[in-house]
Amino acid sequence: RGFKELRLQLIAEALTELEIEVNSSLAALGLPDWELTFQVDRETKGGSIQRGFSVLVRSPSWSASVPWEAWSGGEAQRLRLAANMGLSNLIRSRTGTSLNIEVWDEPTKNLSERGIQDLLQALASRAQQEQRIIWVVDHHAHHFGKFAGGATVVKTGKGSQIITTIPEVGE
């Protein structure tokens, strides 16, 4: 019984830390008044206990928290991005790992122009604060923001060509 209680306490501590990390990322992604909460067990409306992992989202437009699965489109993508950032931060802090590169594959999927701008600003701030190189692999992001460099893959009948744009030192 003691081991079970200790395990649940450690899980609760990790989820609290994850909530802090994710909610901080939500603000950076343009959702400052949103909040995610993580639960391992929760009580249903009928009073029984539902076992398993659940994520609830509180937005400024709803008075009560709703399940993660209720969101779609650009808001869901921002929630996923915040969760990824928060989980990455939690894993690095818990393991003492320091990585100098991060790769984001298609992070602008379903985002509006404003959402793309918020995301790229958040990634730029993240790169600067954490002294990290961040690669954004995307079809839409190259139209936004200022990047330290870029690469475009052009497919032709003879194969693919990579065109890089890396600014000179001092630019």
Side-chain angles (χ1 to χ4, degrees), residues 71-134:
W71 300 96
S72 62
E75 289 168 333
Q77 179 66 354
R78 288 185 193 217
L79 294 171
R80 280 190 295 278
L81 292 165
N84 288 332
M85 288 178 181
L87 185 57
S88 172
N89 292 348
L90 176 66
I91 291 170
R92 282 196 328 269
S93 72
R94 291 283 175 126
T95 61
T97 305
S98 177
L99 305 172
N100 63 351
I101 189 167
E102 226 172 69
V103 179
W104 291 84
D105 185 23
E106 299 288 344
T108 65
K109 182 178 179 182
N110 296 322
L111 293 181
S112 65
E113 286 191 17
R114 181 70 205 160
I116 293 171
Q117 291 171 352
D118 289 342
L119 167 65
L120 296 178
Q121 180 58 48
L123 291 176
S125 296
R126 184 175 175 89
Q128 185 177 24
Q129 289 170 354
E130 299 181 18
Q131 298 295 298
R132 170 172 308 156
I133 296 168
I134 295 182

Side-chain angles (χ1 to χ4, degrees), residues 62-78:
W62 296 88
S63 59
S65 296
V66 297
W68 169 278
E69 298 80 12
W71 300 96
S72 62
E75 289 168 333
Q77 179 66 354
R78 288 185 193 217

Side-chain angles (χ1 to χ4, degrees), residues 102 104 107-108 116-125 127 133-152 164-168 171:
E102 226 172 69
W104 291 84
T108 65
I116 293 171
Q117 291 171 352
D118 289 342
L119 167 65
L120 296 178
Q121 180 58 48
L123 291 176
S125 296
I133 296 168
I134 295 182
W135 288 359
V136 176
V137 180
D138 202 274
H139 291 93
H140 306 288
H142 66 279
H143 297 298
F144 294 88
K146 294 183 179 180
F147 294 94
T152 303
T164 59
T165 55
I166 300 173
E168 297 294 322
E171 272 189 53

